[in-house]
Amino acid sequence: DKGNYRHFMAKEIHEQPEVLGHTLSRYLDYAKKSVSLPAAEKVDFRSLNRILISACGTAYYAGLVAKYWFEKYARLPVEIDIASEFRYRETPVIDGDFALFISQSGETADTLASLRYCKANAAKIGAVVNVPESTIAREADVTFATIAGPEIGVASTKAFTCQLAVLACLAIHAGRQRGTLSEAAAAALVDDLAAVPSLAVQALNCETQIEKLSQPLSRASNALYLGRGTNFPLAMEGALKLKELSYIHAEGYAAGELKHGPIALIDENLPVFVIAPHDAIFEKTLSNMQEVAARGGRIILITDAAGDHESGGVAGDTVIMPNVPDLVAPIIYALPVQMISYHTAVFMGTDVDQPRNLAKSVTVE
Ligand code: F6R
């Protein structure tokens, strides 16, 4: 049931404040300001040496964000692969490896095959899954549920942000167990996560503006998405969403890679989305934007009030997000990124919930 929405995707985008709240409640102890994993989901991160993440598509981008978090907060090295590559490249899986699989459906063939590949040697197999009775959930030693509810639109939206919420909780938990995060530092991060549902509501408020700026986009034939840090995977996620929904060719790049090639693409016809909260590396991204502007590129900047102020009018359009702590930026900034592809596709008249050539669950290789 789409309720009052025109598409399942719109409904699922708007459900995010609520389902993020449900998902976080499962892993956070708000009173103690700590992460508390449900009894069936205990993992001892002290005994682990490495995390191997495999997933496909949007779930893979959630894993890429998690790599930044596990390495920063828990000092745990993470290797991440696209499942269709991991399963064939004969990578060594060794003692002390925690193999982690991320999947909305829990049925993706390549992700499942990667899980089975790790079974004999990994210390532990974990899965972040939205469908609790799925094959991947059943075959993992420990399943971390996302409580996103059924996701009907083919393009993943609420499952992605709920995956990020679970992975953030796991990274904080791992950091506490391994002693790399103090109790106070973890409590501050839990507070950041606790604010996610209300920040998501604020992020949704920019929808009217996004709808307006999406109209001219529907005439573009290419687009570029740029971000740094945890917003780099989000840039790739934005490009994937635009491709699959509006059939506009798009690429996501680490902003620092611009001058190593893609800057040659910049002209007045190329929309360049820049995902850049005003954080410690904003200055670096600002200089990338100036390079784009100097070549006539049309910048759509997604930032906060401080970033808007500092950017000094370099962007053609600016979408203003609430101020968000670093940890939760990729969760909150996912919402405008999703709305951009949704509204562009609506203007183009494509089948938003069922894009051509795509299936919701990819159970064939
Ligand atoms: C993109 C999208 C796909 C899925 C991918 C993995 O919007 O939905 O890229 O993320 O097919 O699917 P799951 O998460 O079910 O394993």
Side-chain angles (χ1 to χ4, degrees):
D1 177 22
K2 286 186 265 213
N4 292 325
Y5 293 98
R6 203 167 143 195
H7 301 98
F8 280 108
M9 185 181 179
K11 173 169 175 266
E12 289 162 4
I13 288 173
H14 283 266
E15 277 170 355
Q16 286 176 108
E18 191 188 340
V19 296
L20 282 164
H22 293 160
T23 301
L24 288 165
S25 303
R26 188 181 163 101
Y27 297 96
L28 295 183
D29 183 327
Y30 295 103
K32 291 196 189 133
K33 290 185 189 285
S34 66
V35 174
S36 143
L37 298 188
E41 294 166 32
K42 295 279 183 247
V43 176
D44 184 359
F45 282 95
R46 282 166 305 188
S47 62
L48 301 169
N49 301 322
R50 182 172 75 150
I51 304 182
L52 297 176
I53 300 179
S54 303
C56 299
T58 291
Y60 167 73
Y61 296 135
L64 268 182
V65 174
K67 174 183 166 78
Y68 286 76
W69 288 337
F70 280 114
E71 295 192 343
K72 177 175 180 179
Y73 298 121
R75 312 303 300 160
L76 248 180
V78 175
E79 284 201 31
I80 166 150
D81 279 282
I82 294 164
S84 57
E85 286 300 313
F86 179 85
R87 61 177 293 199
Y88 295 117
R89 78 182 163 88
E90 299 181 40
T91 188
V93 177
I94 49 183
D95 207 32
D97 280 347
F98 179 43
L100 185 60
F101 304 90
I102 307 167
S103 177
Q104 187 285 127
S105 63
E107 301 295 347
T108 301
D110 285 317
T111 309
L112 177 60
S114 299
L115 183 157
R116 289 176 176 160
Y117 173 85
C118 291
K119 267 241 152 127
N121 297 309
K124 196 143 193 133
I125 307 266
V128 176
V129 168
N130 195 47
V131 179
E133 60 279 6
S134 61
T135 314
I136 289 175
R138 278 201 314 272
E139 294 198 14
D141 299 327
V142 50
T143 298
F144 307 98
T146 48
I147 322 287
E151 191 180 64
I152 310 292
V154 162
S156 187
T157 52
K158 60 178 182 169
F160 173 68
T161 49
C162 287
Q163 285 160 355
L164 291 178
V166 171
L167 292 161
C169 292
L170 289 179
I172 296 168
H173 182 70
R176 281 303 292 138
Q177 281 189 330
R178 294 167 63 80
T180 51
L181 269 184
S182 68
E183 198 178 332
L189 294 172
V190 168
D191 276 341
D192 293 347
L193 285 174
V196 158
S198 67
L199 290 169
V201 170
Q202 292 178 53
L204 291 172
N205 287 339
C206 64
E207 182 153 25
T208 320
Q209 189 198 355
I210 286 186
E211 191 174 354
K212 272 201 208 103
L213 67 86
S214 298
Q215 194 158 13
L217 277 176
S218 56
R219 290 190 294 271
S221 39
N222 292 286
L224 195 58
Y225 285 74
L226 301 176
R228 283 177 185 261
T230 51
N231 296 303
F232 160 45
L234 194 53
M236 292 192 279
E237 164 63 3
L240 173 63
K241 286 270 120 59
L242 197 71
K243 278 183 275 212
E244 68 175 331
L245 291 167
S246 65
Y247 318 146
I248 294 173
H249 169 244
E251 289 198 58
Y253 257 96
E257 275 289 287
L258 189 66
K259 56 173 80 62
H260 299 284
I263 197 163
L265 294 169
I266 308 285
D267 64 16
E268 51 292 337
N269 300 317
L270 184 78
V272 180
F273 295 93
V274 181
I275 305 165
H278 190 261
D279 56 14
I281 39 177
F282 182 82
E283 294 297 321
K284 305 285 175 197
T285 309
L286 180 57
S287 66
N288 299 131
M289 286 192 275
Q290 283 152 350
E291 289 157 7
V292 171
R295 287 158 185 83
R298 194 166 97 65
I299 298 170
I300 302 112
L301 171 62
I302 311 174
T303 188
D304 46 32
D308 177 36
H309 181 75
E310 195 145 335
S311 68
V314 74
D317 286 291
T318 306
V319 178
I320 312 264
M321 290 288 99
N323 288 334
V324 298
D326 281 357
L327 171 69
V328 305
I331 306 179
I332 300 305
Y333 279 63
L335 277 56
V337 164
Q338 294 163 352
M339 291 190 284
I340 287 165
S341 52
Y342 172 75
H343 285 291
T344 306
V346 170
F347 275 118
M348 296 191 70
T350 57
D351 188 345
V352 174
D353 283 333
Q354 193 58 257
R356 67 184 183 200
N357 310 338
L358 285 171
K360 180 67 184 160
S361 179
V362 184
T363 53
V364 291
E365 296 166 15

